Amino acid sequence: MWTGMNLCTAILPQFNFEEVLEIATTSGFKGIELRVNHDHHIALDDLLTSGQFLRRRIQHIGLDVPVLTSYLPMEDDESVDRLIRVAQLMEVPKARIVLPRGCHAAVVKRAHINEIIPSYEASQDPQPLMGALRRKLRILERKAFRAGVQLLLELHWGTVMSSFSGAYALVQDLDPESIGITFDPANMMVEGKEDWEFGINLIRPYLANVHVKNMRWKQTKEDWSWEWAGLTQGMVDWWELVSLLQGIGYGGDYAMEDFLTPRTDKEAAIHHLTEARQGFGAICIDCGDHDHRVAN
C-alpha cells in the first residue's frame, strides 16, 4: 500500500537546511533521508551534540528521519561508531555507510553528469578485498545489532557492489535486521543491471530502502554516454519494478533522489519534486489497484 515517500537531501546541495525542510514539507514528502556530511547539510560532529534537538524540530514540522545517509567508509571504525551512536541518540533506524570503488570505476568516464560516487579507494585486489569486506561486515553486524540500528549498503555504480549478485556475495549470511541494502535501479542501469525479478528475490531479506530516479544511455558522435532522465523518460520501468516489489510484499522506504531537481530556484525545486512525488505515487497506486504484482 502506498503511504508516501521520503526525500534525499543530497539532491538539494545549494539550499541551506531550513530551505531543505521547507522544500520537503511543501512538496508533500513524509520524511527526509538526511545527508550527513560537512558540506551539506549536517556534519556528524554537529549531530553528536545537537542531533536529538534537531530530530524534535524536524518531527515538529511533520517530517520523519528514517535514514542518515553518510559518506563514511565502512573501514573507518571510529567514524562509523560515532554514526551508529548518533542514530541511537536521534532514534533513526537506518544509517548508510559506503563501500570501496570498483578499481578505477571506469563507468564514470561515460557520464554526462558530474556526481560524487559514495565510495572510497581500496588498494587490494578484488579477491582479498571482498574477503576483507566480509570480515568487516561481520564486525559491523554485531555493532549494529547491539545498537538496534540497521546499517545500509547501497547498490551503486562504480563500487564493488553494483549488482544483485555482488550484494549477495557480501551479505548472504548476515543478519538482515543489522545489515540492509538500498536498492537503486537507476544506478544499476548505469552499471550492474541483472534480471530484476531474479535479483529482487535474491536479496529479498535485505531490501530495506529504494531510491527513486531514472537515467538513460545515449549514443554520441564518438561513443556512448549516460545521464539522468525524467522519472518516466528513462530506461528504468518503474511500473515493472513497483509491481515486483509489491509482489514480494516490500514494505520498506521509498526515497526520491532525482538529480534533475533544480538546484538554485526554491520554487522550481518544489514544483519539480511535487510532480515527481505525485507521479511516482500514481505508479504505486496503479500497480496496486490493477494487481500487477508478480507471483512469488
Side-chain angles (χ1 to χ4, degrees):
M1 180 181 295
W2 172 245
T3 59
M5 71 189 311
N6 305 309
L7 176 65
C8 296
T9 69
I11 66 174
L12 300 168
Q14 303 303 321
F15 297 101
N16 64 44
F17 190 63
E18 295 302 323
E19 291 173 322
V20 166
L21 295 181
E22 181 184 352
I23 290 169
T25 53
T26 307
S27 303
F29 290 90
K30 69 172 185 177
I32 55 172
E33 247 184 60
L34 177 59
R35 181 176 181 181
V36 181
N37 194 267
H38 66 278
D39 57 355
H40 70 289
H41 285 106
I42 305 292
L44 183 59
D45 287 343
D46 293 335
L47 288 180
L48 278 169
T49 57
S50 60
Q52 290 171 297
F53 172 73
L54 180 66
R55 175 64 189 269
R56 287 195 295 271
R57 277 189 54 218
I58 295 171
Q59 286 180 317
H60 182 70
I61 63 173
L63 292 172
D64 192 16
V65 186
V67 181
L68 297 176
T69 299
S70 86
Y71 287 70
L72 298 175
M74 59 180 286
E75 294 182 346
D76 184 346
D77 294 333
E78 181 181 352
S79 295
V80 172
D81 286 348
R82 290 160 66 211
L83 177 68
I84 292 172
R85 179 58 179 156
V86 165
Q88 278 187 302
L89 290 171
M90 294 181 66
E91 298 182 347
V92 175
K94 304 179 181 74
R96 185 187 76 173
I97 54 176
V98 302
L99 290 152
R101 285 193 176 204
C103 293
H104 297 293
V107 74
V108 75
K109 298 176 182 177
R110 303 282 186 180
H112 245 312
I113 49 92
N114 183 26
E115 301 291 358
I116 297 172
I117 306 175
S119 64
Y120 61 96
E121 302 293 337
S123 59
Q124 292 174 286
D125 289 332
Q127 288 83 359
L129 174 61
M130 295 298 277
L133 293 176
R134 292 265 305 143
R135 291 189 291 274
K136 175 59 69 174
L137 284 170
R138 277 291 184 202
I139 296 171
L140 293 174
E141 174 191 39
R142 293 192 288 271
K143 290 182 177 181
F145 176 79
R146 289 195 295 268
V149 173
Q150 186 182 44
L151 294 175
L152 296 180
L153 307 174
E154 184 173 348
L155 282 157
H156 203 291
W157 55 273
T159 74
V160 299
M161 201 184 86
S162 61
S163 68
F164 290 122
S165 54
Y168 185 73
L170 282 174
V171 307
Q172 59 182 294
D173 56 356
L174 299 176
D175 171 24
E177 297 298 317
S178 302
I179 304 293
I181 290 173
T182 292
F183 173 35
D184 191 314
N187 282 348
M188 298 173 75
M189 291 301 298
V190 175
E191 180 187 34
K193 168 71 168 67
E194 296 171 329
D195 182 80
W196 294 131
E197 185 177 2
F198 174 82
I200 286 172
N201 278 282
L202 182 67
I203 64 167
R204 176 177 179 173
Y206 299 93
L207 279 173
N209 192 26
V210 177
H211 278 178
V212 177
K213 59 178 181 280
N214 217 325
M215 62 76 63
R216 60 185 166 217
W217 282 90
K218 65 179 186 179
Q219 193 168 19
T220 66
K221 291 181 179 179
E222 296 81 21
D223 211 334
W224 287 85
S225 65
W226 64 270
E227 63 188 7
W228 302 127
L231 193 61
T232 58
Q233 281 79 52
M235 296 175 68
V236 176
D237 183 345
W238 276 107
W239 284 272
E240 176 190 8
L241 283 166
V242 169
S243 293
L244 289 167
L245 290 166
Q246 289 181 351
I248 65 166
Y250 175 72
D253 292 314
Y254 288 95
M256 182 64 66
E257 197 188 27
D258 184 354
F259 287 107
L260 294 182
T261 301
R263 297 194 174 194
T264 57
D265 185 326
K266 184 173 63 175
E267 294 305 317
I270 290 170
H271 177 74
H272 179 90
L273 288 169
T274 299
E275 287 199 336
R277 179 190 57 78
Q278 291 173 341
F280 186 73
I283 292 171
C284 292
I285 294 169
D286 181 60
C287 288
D289 288 347
H290 292 84
D291 196 26
H292 292 163
R293 293 172 294 176
V294 176
N296 293 333

